[in-house]
Amino acid sequence: LDLLNLSAGYVFLHDVRGRLLLVNPAAAQALGMPAMALVGRSLADFQPRRSRQDFDAYLTRLRRNGQDEGVLLMRAADGSHRHWRYSSRLTTPTDGRAHVVGNAVDVTAQVRETRELHEQSVRDALTGSYNRRKLEAFESAQRDAGWGVVNIDLDHFKQVNDRQGHDQGDQVLIE
């Protein structure tokens, strides 16, 4: 019991429908409610509406495979959204009442960083315009639709950089 209470990771038990049976203090704090107030509530109550189908798919995978791992978007009582990387396992004790043992950690910062890195990989750092990588993905998605690209070349742009400096040249590109 001390291990459960002292763990910084989120530890929870829920039934096969997602109704919480037990949460440790870290999980209760992350959800923004006392542990006892969480017992009997569905974990789906802490999912943004747009992510409820993800939770249903999670329960389906648990019933089918007996275990599941992944990331779920959770909504705390204060309305903030956090990404939990979880690992859950379906357990059937001798009394036959199946339940799920799960643990999770908050990976919101990593998810945000991954999105930012992806965005940086498809946008020009100076102008914010999409680059060739985004164009290639767009082209793949638009195979059946007509589309075009406008390419702009600034004649004698090197002279702006040479005469007025690279900072001014950057400003011209941004404008």
Side-chain angles (χ1 to χ4, degrees):
L1 191 60
D2 282 345
L3 181 60
L4 183 68
N5 288 329
L6 295 174
S7 175
Y10 311 150
V11 180
F12 51 90
L13 269 71
H14 64 76
D15 64 18
V16 294
R17 293 181 301 173
R19 194 175 4 253
L20 289 166
L21 305 170
L22 177 133
V23 295
N24 75 335
Q29 182 177 9
L31 292 172
M33 295 178 68
M36 290 309 296
L38 292 167
V39 172
R41 302 240 353 230
S42 174
L43 266 176
D45 294 346
F46 299 95
Q47 296 252 264
R49 288 195 193 282
R50 67 181 187 272
S51 298
R52 295 269 169 97
Q53 70 277 5
D54 295 339
F55 188 72
D56 293 340
Y58 156 76
L59 291 176
T60 299
R61 289 188 305 270
L62 274 170
R63 286 190 291 266
R64 183 180 57 230
N65 303 327
Q67 63 185 16
D68 194 47
E69 294 182 351
V71 176
L72 285 173
L73 182 61
M74 304 298 290
R75 186 187 72 242
D78 67 2
S80 64
H81 292 97
R82 310 297 296 176
H83 295 271
W84 287 17
R85 178 172 305 285
Y86 68 88
S87 178
S88 298
R89 186 174 40 109
L90 184 64
T91 304
T92 307
T94 55
D95 68 4
R97 297 180 68 191
H99 62 271
V100 175
V101 178
N103 66 51
V105 294
D106 189 321
V107 294
T108 304
Q110 292 92 332
V111 168
R112 190 172 294 129
E113 184 176 299
T114 299
R115 286 181 181 157
E116 288 171 6
L117 288 172
H118 172 73
E119 194 63 20
Q120 289 173 12
S121 78
V122 297
R123 286 191 181 267
D124 176 74
L126 179 62
T127 64
S129 299
Y130 286 118
N131 64 23
R132 175 180 37 229
R133 288 182 197 96
K134 181 68 174 186
L135 181 60
E136 290 166 355
F138 178 80
E139 182 179 27
S140 295
Q142 301 297 321
R143 293 218 182 265
D144 296 332
W147 62 279
V149 172
V150 175
N151 186 19
I152 299 172
D153 184 22
L154 300 177
D155 290 337
H156 313 292
F157 180 72
K158 184 177 180 326
Q159 293 177 5
V160 174
N161 279 336
D162 291 346
R163 292 183 185 155
Q164 298 177 19
H166 288 278
D167 288 341
Q168 185 62 35
D170 288 351
Q171 196 58 42
V172 167
L173 288 175
I174 292 168
E175 291 175 15

